[in-house]
Amino acid sequence: MSTNAVTEEITYIRAVNEGLRWALREYPKALILGEDVALPNGPFGATRGLHGEFGDRVIDTPITESAFVGAAIGAAMRGYRPIVEIMFMDFTQVAMDQLVNQLPNIHYVSNGGFRVPLTIRTQQGRTPGSCAQHSQSLEAVFAHVPGIRVGLPANPQDAYDMLRSAIASDDPALIIESRALYASRGPVELERPLAPIGRAQLRRPGEDVTIVSWSRMVGEAEAAAQRLEAEGISAAVIDLRWVSPVDHDTIAASLERTGRLVIAHEANRTAGFGAELAAWATEERFWDLDGPVARVGAPDIRMPAAATLQEALLPSAESIAETVRATLNAAPA
Amino acid sequence: MDAPSLPETYRAILTIRRFEERLLSLHQEGLIQGSMHLCNGQEAIPVGACRELRADDALTATYRGHGWAIARGLPLPDLFAELMGRASPLCGGRGGSAYLCGAPYGFLGENSIVGAGVPIAAGAALAARRDGAGAVSLVSIGDGALNQGAVGEALNFAAALALPLVVVVENNIYSEMTPIKEMVAIDPLAQRAAGFGIPSVTVDGNDTAVVQAAVAEAVARARSGGGPTLVEAMTERLVGHYTGDAQQYRPAGEVEAAKTREPLTRLRAAAGQELGAELAVVDEEVEATIESAVQEAMGYPRPDPAGAALGVYVD
């Protein structure tokens, strides 16, 4: 860290905005495309002021996810560095051909002839009242697809840093923001060197159990760790940050100390990314485990809109803490 | 651009035809695996269209794209090698028949998802407009692709942003293996462009000069900032949708009738006696070119299996 670093207390969405501004300054070939990103300043304000500052490099598109994702791919193949906003994660499904059949194939199949330095930003998760088509957490869908990096920032600094790393990379990347965190504030150092893609962060060291989480659930995991501390349980919390590539080393280092692994995400449990981490732990770190791996996630349901119904389904600090307690008490029958 | 001589046009079309026919024999010899989508009968379209393209233009095609690749100037030995699963300079064997590309040739590639190339081509057009050098992006699709949502989305996107995009619809009257006339309620298909505010024209796709003239107008419009154009080129497939297609869905006599109006038949008829002798020479030269390309392709090594997992990412 530089000694004269300027650190500002800003919101998560403002950090995204600063990351985009950095990109447009840093890369003359950077473009922003998406619905309502230019004149309207972005539906959540991520692109606020950028059209005014950078003019037609910030492009309002028709409501046409296949077309503007595909167009961003084509522009990237022709030397540009596009950044696309897909308003909600749910809307990626409209563009799945471009996102899965096209984008991640191009560098590999062209044998390196084409690069696609395209970054897609979207946001996901439930907020009170959000309907079933604006609430899904689908990171596992994209983690399953080789050829695209997938990151989920959990705080303003990471929203800034991970976005910049994704944009700077010559590989396609999907940055999945958390709408629930957009208004949260935190210190953000703007003059930082670029961080490598795929590094997890140990948020809190611990001796008894390792909780791996990402996106909004990192905060819940930290709150759970605080509760557990009062009960004499020392929980490590890891913010995985990236589900592709995965920083197994950071998890392994903590697991070596704790011997217990709990994975917490907002996404549905079945075939959620927690399942992949659980499989990894049993394949690669079986002899470090002192008990079964546990997962915390939404039950396999659709998401209702009413907040009281949503809260009955969502993982929370308490459900994570409860899972940790159960894990530590687990013993052969 | 000046119209090339009849023998030169004949050579260009025959090269594609003999390439496709040779692929079939290589397939039968077991030297090519997997199905292929050949363009026999449709060659006048890529030949005519590519004559209007500059080196800095972008070209995107469909899985029936060998003719486009050849017309764009991708080397025949490289193409044969790519289809034989050898370490070709194009994609190292990773693309194959239906998904090959050629970055140094401005060939963004074939696409095995019907219609998916149009959004990508629209992006290449966006890049071209931003570069400001008057380059265009040309994409070929089939008649069936016009029913894909991605194509409609991309047409509107290109029109709304006035992008230098030329969409060439090769209407071979079959949407894969189903008559296109049963899959749409309009005729000609090109009128669909009007709904997007895109000018369009329907032309004889078996006449290289006619295709070239239509594409020339479209390209001129695009280069001068006039936005996209859709060119529908009417043609007929002389072979199946894919190798192994028994074509039981085609009425008796249809292919035979098509052979009386396909590009090579027409050129031979137009050549008359004087040029006919010249064409006979071209026949021999093309044959030699194809055979030498096959031999050269056989000289490429197989891709190293140790590299199969490499290159998913740049970093």
Side-chain angles (χ1 to χ4, degrees):
Chain A
M1 249 182 235
S2 62
T3 48
N4 60 348
V6 179
T7 301
E8 294 184 52
E9 187 85 13
I10 60 175
T11 60
Y12 185 117
I13 192 69
R14 174 76 196 291
V16 173
N17 180 254
E18 291 296 341
L20 293 173
R21 182 171 286 103
W22 169 87
L24 289 166
R25 286 182 181 154
E26 186 78 12
Y27 298 102
K29 293 276 197 176
L31 304 172
I32 294 179
L33 294 103
E35 293 153 359
D36 309 322
V37 298
L39 288 175
N41 279 314
F44 301 103
T47 53
R48 189 179 303 279
L50 299 180
H51 181 254
E53 191 175 343
F54 298 96
D56 67 0
R57 292 170 63 197
V58 183
I59 302 166
D60 279 328
T61 68
I63 303 168
T64 188
E65 283 83 6
S66 283
F68 67 74
V69 172
I73 293 169
M77 291 173 79
R78 298 293 276 176
Y80 284 81
R81 194 169 288 269
I83 305 154
V84 165
E85 175 172 307
I86 297 181
M87 201 182 290
F88 283 77
M89 171 57 103
D90 313 75
F91 305 171
T92 60
Q93 305 301 295
V94 182
M96 282 305 259
D97 173 53
Q98 293 294 336
L99 290 169
V100 177
N101 293 329
Q102 308 296 329
L103 176 64
N105 268 324
I106 293 167
H107 181 261
Y108 178 82
V109 173
S110 72
N111 209 12
F114 288 106
R115 292 181 173 194
V116 194
L118 167 60
T119 298
I120 293 148
R121 291 180 42 249
T122 189
Q123 54 79 23
Q124 73 175 16
R126 156 277 184 194
T127 49
S130 59
C131 79
Q133 293 162 337
H134 285 59
S135 297
Q136 296 172 96
S137 293
L138 300 176
E139 66 272 18
V141 173
F142 293 97
H144 185 69
V145 177
I148 181 165
R149 303 303 195 185
V150 184
L152 300 97
N155 57 65
Q157 182 73 63
D158 279 353
Y160 180 71
D161 288 341
M162 290 169 66
L163 176 60
R164 290 190 312 145
S165 300
I167 294 167
S169 165
D170 282 341
D171 286 311
L174 173 66
I175 296 294
I176 306 169
E177 298 157 6
S178 166
R179 181 174 77 260
L181 297 178
Y182 272 168
S184 67
R185 305 182 81 86
V188 176
E189 189 193 332
L190 297 173
E191 303 288 328
R192 292 236 280 204
L194 288 171
I197 284 175
R199 296 274 171 84
Q201 184 184 30
L202 181 67
R203 298 286 301 180
R204 177 190 173 104
E207 302 300 326
D208 299 327
V209 61
T210 300
I211 308 173
V212 177
S213 190
W214 50 91
S215 190
R216 187 182 70 81
M217 292 309 288
V218 174
E220 298 295 319
E222 287 179 311
Q226 277 182 359
R227 288 180 197 194
L228 292 164
E229 188 175 33
E231 300 165 22
I233 297 169
S234 169
V237 176
I238 290 171
D239 177 357
L240 191 62
R241 286 186 174 142
W242 300 89
V243 293
S244 174
V246 174
D247 182 355
H248 291 119
D249 291 347
T250 294
I251 306 174
S254 179
L255 205 49
E256 220 168 277
R257 292 158 65 104
T258 65
R260 304 271 179 174
L261 179 60
V262 172
I263 305 141
H265 53 59
E266 185 173 318
N268 296 336
R269 274 171 56 93
T270 297
F273 197 72
E276 176 60 32
L277 293 180
W280 164 82
T282 51
E283 281 179 342
E284 303 290 334
R285 295 286 151 179
F286 186 76
W287 305 111
D288 285 337
L289 292 172
D290 297 329
V293 177
R295 290 176 289 154
V296 183
D300 297 329
I301 43 82
R302 307 312 310 180
M303 186 56 66
T308 47
L309 296 177
Q310 292 177 331
E311 279 154 20
L313 302 167
L314 287 167
S316 63
E318 186 46 41
S319 65
I320 295 170
E322 191 47 44
T323 302
V324 167
R325 291 180 200 114
T327 300
L328 291 174
N329 292 331
Chain B
M1 292 176 199
D2 292 339
S5 68
L6 188 151
E8 281 315 300
T9 297
Y10 179 80
R11 181 191 303 275
I13 291 174
L14 184 66
T15 301
I16 297 172
R17 179 74 54 88
R18 289 297 303 133
F19 179 87
E20 300 287 62
E21 289 171 346
R22 192 69 178 90
L23 291 180
L24 262 189
S25 63
L26 290 167
H27 192 266
Q28 283 154 6
E29 291 166 39
L31 292 169
I32 291 179
Q33 295 174 311
S35 69
M36 298 179 288
H37 305 80
L38 307 180
C39 69
N40 307 36
Q42 305 185 192
E43 303 92 340
I45 302 168
V47 168
C50 287
R51 284 178 174 162
E52 290 300 318
L53 294 184
R54 310 191 313 213
D56 63 343
D57 292 330
L59 175 66
T60 310
T62 71
Y63 50 79
R64 203 179 307 286
H66 305 157
W68 289 92
I70 293 168
R72 185 59 174 168
L74 277 68
L76 295 172
D78 298 1
L79 286 164
F80 275 123
E82 181 64 34
L83 271 80
M84 289 175 180
R86 292 177 179 269
S88 92
L90 297 173
C91 305
R94 293 174 172 193
S97 168
Y99 193 32
L100 63 86
C101 62
Y105 307 92
F107 184 48
L108 305 197
E110 302 181 295
N111 209 300
S112 289
I113 305 295
V114 173
V118 187
I120 293 171
L126 177 67
R129 196 190 59 191
R130 296 204 62 84
D131 288 340
V136 305
S137 172
L138 188 147
V139 56
S140 85
I141 54 174
D143 44 270
L146 271 181
N147 290 337
Q148 281 281 37
V151 174
E153 288 195 25
L155 290 176
N156 179 65
F157 183 86
L161 276 65
L163 300 179
L165 179 70
V166 177
V167 180
V168 175
V169 180
E170 298 183 75
N171 187 344
N172 65 15
I173 70 173
Y174 282 98
S175 171
E176 296 192 348
M177 292 177 278
T178 302
I180 187 64
K181 66 178 193 298
E182 294 174 16
M183 298 293 107
V184 293
I186 55 168
D187 180 30
L189 291 180
Q191 66 185 283
R192 194 169 282 175
F196 298 101
I198 294 177
S200 70
V201 62
T202 300
V203 300
D204 179 356
N206 284 0
D207 186 323
T208 302
V210 170
V211 171
Q212 186 179 353
V215 171
E217 192 179 329
V219 165
R221 181 178 293 123
R223 293 205 201 287
S224 63
T229 304
L230 185 145
V231 177
E232 179 186 17
M234 302 303 300
T235 186
E236 288 167 286
R237 230 175 43 211
L238 301 178
V239 293
H241 164 59
Y242 65 100
T243 48
D245 173 6
Q247 300 192 80
Q248 287 164 343
Y249 53 88
R250 295 187 84 162
E254 184 181 80
V255 174
E256 288 65 32
K259 284 178 179 170
T260 66
R261 45 190 181 244
E262 58 98 350
L264 287 177
T265 305
R266 286 193 197 187
L267 288 169
R268 287 184 187 122
Q273 262 196 334
E274 193 187 336
L275 280 176
E278 236 181 281
L279 298 194
V281 176
V282 173
D283 285 341
E284 288 177 21
E285 289 171 351
V286 167
E287 207 48 41
T289 303
I290 292 289
E291 279 321 302
S292 131
V294 169
Q295 290 312 310
E296 198 177 325
M298 301 282 278
Y300 282 116
R302 299 269 172 208
D304 181 0
L310 302 179
V312 175
Y313 299 96
V314 178
D315 299 325

